[in-house]
Amino acid sequence: MASMKEINLRIKSISGTRQITKAMELVAISKLSKARERIDRTRPFYTELYSALSDVAAAVSPLDTGFCRKGDIKRRCIVVIAGDRGLAGGYNSNVFRYFDENAGDNPLVLPLGKRAVEHFERRGFELISDEYMSVEDIDVGDCFEISRLLCKMFLDGEFDCLSCVYTNFVSMLGQEPAELRLLPLDKELISDGSAPKFTLVEPGAGAVFNSIIPDAVAGLLWGAVCESFASELASRRTAMESATSNADDIIADLRLKYNKARKSSITQQITEIVSGAGAEQ
Amino acid sequence: MAEFHLKILSPDGVFFDGSAKQLSLRSVDGDVSILAGHIPYLTAVGIGECRVYTDGDEPRRAACCGGLLNVTREGVFLAPTTFEWAENIDSDRAEAAKQKALDRIASPKSDAQKKLAQIKLQRAELRIKVAGTRK
């Protein structure tokens, strides 16, 4: 059996770790409630936006705008949203695994979040930008900037398919990585199969689409960022909660061992004293 | 007067979800007004004042920039990039933004930046104007 001193040291170190995990859990909980509010605010916006876009897709003809170019996909571009930090359970690795399964050959990558930037840099992917190191600090304005950049690259033909890998916030306990197709705008892609409806488009289809599509892409990206950030926090909360309870278990176990060691050492001392006294008589 | 269902949603949240009699706003091409029974219509929203008429004669006014307006048989959907009701506009901030944009236009670092500053100036002036309509 380990000595009392050793056990005591381990208890101390585990208590320290427990304090950290508990603190991280509390931080995640408080941030999470804000992030969930943000989701509640933005969700109606981008679900409506997505259905409006499918109306747009039904009304559009490939001649009107470069955004619904048809043809083989030669190069894909994927926006990957992961976390800024680790210690969030499988959050980051789930996103990366999902990416590996679905990305195809040699895509262009725009990573958002420190973990994503580091991961794709290390793996030697071609990155569009590595300046979005913090998902937490990305705001709507950044999404518009990203969207303008990506739409311009798309029209210049640098890639012919744009999608976004993010994590869907299903509930506090379940978050799923998912892919959102953004460009090209494609009838088969987002239309629900109903007959195309007539829609008057003013001033002209081309002008309208070129102006609204970057906005719409930005809106959808913003939605994905909000979902991902809330997922990261929920995932961290769960991971830290179980780490804290594991620490509690280990500490309880060590306390038991410590007390056993203490008891046996006292017993031994008494035996020694008693036998010493007996020898003197 | 006939009413229609109007939804105004921006990334900042839900601004309006209910019946309205008339919606007037500025598209990229000029001012438009939507009444009930409008044919399906799609346009890009410019930078301008948006007026929503519900009950009474006085509309609710807002500063509305960018995004899209989609009129379907089911209702009207406005998804602006930014949207602020007149009563919520921070006039001091708008003045500050205007000044900043003017400074930027006076000494632009690049053409793109100048263009961006001009748009920002337009937005700030709109917000000041809309804020002025409130009582």
Side-chain angles (χ1 to χ4, degrees):
Chain A
M1 189 177 281
S3 79
M4 280 162 62
K5 198 180 164 199
E6 269 170 42
I7 295 173
N8 220 349
L9 271 178
R10 280 209 65 199
I11 290 180
K12 267 193 191 142
S13 105
I14 288 167
S15 302
T17 312
R18 186 192 173 280
Q19 266 177 356
I20 293 170
T21 58
K22 185 76 192 167
M24 287 184 74
E25 185 192 336
L26 293 177
V27 169
I29 289 173
S30 81
K31 281 189 183 168
L32 181 58
S33 65
K34 269 187 221 137
R36 284 187 70 186
E37 258 169 45
R38 199 168 74 171
I39 285 192
D40 290 339
R41 273 209 313 273
T42 54
R43 244 185 201 166
F45 168 71
Y46 64 79
T47 46
E48 284 287 341
L49 190 64
Y50 205 70
S51 75
L53 265 190
S54 63
D55 286 356
V56 173
V60 73
S61 99
L63 299 172
D64 292 335
T65 166
F67 284 116
C68 44
R69 182 177 19 175
K70 278 260 165 100
D72 293 336
I73 292 172
K74 290 186 209 83
R75 189 99 202 255
R76 300 184 61 185
C77 172
I78 302 178
V79 180
V80 185
I81 308 174
D84 302 336
R85 269 168 237 117
L87 291 177
Y91 173 74
N92 289 313
S93 53
N94 284 345
V95 172
F96 298 144
R97 192 178 325 124
Y98 189 87
F99 174 88
D100 289 339
E101 283 162 9
N102 296 284
D105 286 333
N106 189 28
L108 270 167
V109 177
L110 175 60
L112 306 183
K114 190 159 173 260
R115 288 278 152 157
V117 172
E118 282 168 358
H119 177 88
F120 290 106
E121 233 166 23
R122 206 168 38 234
R123 301 279 214 79
F125 281 95
E126 195 178 325
L127 306 185
I128 293 176
S129 157
D130 58 3
E131 58 183 296
Y132 298 102
M133 285 294 246
S134 169
V135 172
E136 195 175 347
D137 298 335
I138 289 180
D139 59 18
V140 186
D142 291 324
C143 287
F144 276 94
E145 208 170 286
I146 294 171
S147 161
R148 267 196 296 270
L149 174 73
L150 291 176
C151 287
K152 186 171 174 294
M153 288 177 76
F154 181 82
L155 289 179
D156 291 348
E158 289 184 44
F159 53 82
D160 15 42
C161 172
L162 172 67
S163 57
C164 171
V165 170
Y166 70 110
T167 308
N168 202 0
F169 184 82
V170 184
S171 72
M172 291 293 274
L173 297 173
Q175 300 88 32
E176 275 171 8
E179 185 176 12
L180 185 66
R181 289 284 295 268
L182 298 169
L183 293 175
L185 215 53
D186 192 341
K187 280 172 203 169
E188 293 91 58
L189 192 68
I190 50 182
S191 151
D192 51 7
S194 57
K197 290 167 267 183
F198 168 78
T199 303
L200 177 68
V201 181
E202 273 184 349
V208 169
F209 294 134
N210 289 344
S211 145
I212 62 178
I213 289 170
D215 284 358
V217 167
L220 294 173
L221 268 180
W222 172 240
V225 167
C226 291
E227 293 275 334
S228 288
F229 186 56
S231 300
E232 182 190 351
L233 292 170
S235 176
R236 175 162 305 126
R237 191 196 75 106
T238 321
M240 287 303 111
E241 195 181 60
S242 66
T244 308
S245 93
N246 282 346
D248 282 337
D249 289 350
I250 294 174
I251 290 173
D253 188 45
L254 286 175
R255 282 258 151 76
L256 189 71
K257 278 194 186 142
Y258 176 80
N259 285 335
K260 273 187 185 163
R262 186 169 148 269
K263 203 176 80 184
S264 72
S265 97
I266 291 171
T267 316
Q268 203 186 339
Q269 279 170 12
I270 291 174
T271 325
E272 277 166 13
I273 292 168
V274 169
S275 59
E280 228 165 63
Q281 281 170 7
Chain B
M1 205 167 145
E3 298 195 334
F4 58 89
H5 190 85
L6 170 66
K7 267 193 215 171
I8 301 177
L9 303 173
S10 95
D12 297 323
V14 181
F15 286 93
F16 192 91
D17 191 353
S19 307
K21 287 176 183 156
Q22 183 187 335
L23 168 73
S24 304
L25 54 83
R26 181 160 296 176
S27 77
V28 281
D29 213 22
D31 287 357
V32 288
S33 275
I34 308 290
L35 297 173
H38 202 287
I39 56 163
Y41 176 72
L42 180 76
T43 193
V45 179
I47 297 177
E49 186 188 50
C50 168
R51 294 187 301 278
V52 180
Y53 295 79
T54 48
D55 337 294
D57 298 331
E58 273 304 301
R60 281 190 83 182
R61 291 165 194 273
C64 171
C65 309
L68 73 103
L69 170 72
N70 190 20
V71 181
T72 59
R73 298 256 176 246
E74 294 79 41
V76 176
F77 172 52
L78 174 62
T81 310
T82 62
F83 191 89
E84 276 173 297
W85 291 117
E87 57 267 30
N88 298 339
I89 293 174
D90 184 342
S91 306
D92 297 341
R93 231 189 75 193
E95 287 286 354
K98 181 182 172 183
Q99 204 49 51
K100 206 171 141 192
L102 282 173
D103 294 348
R104 189 57 63 75
I105 291 171
S107 56
K109 290 199 187 92
S110 65
D111 270 1
Q113 214 179 40
K114 192 173 175 185
K115 245 175 151 177
L116 207 70
Q118 273 161 349
I119 294 172
K120 282 191 173 154
L121 177 65
Q122 240 178 321
R123 282 188 187 175
E125 281 176 340
L126 167 71
R127 276 160 59 211
I128 293 166
K129 188 186 134 214
V130 173
T133 65
R134 67 187 166 196
K135 285 166 215 118

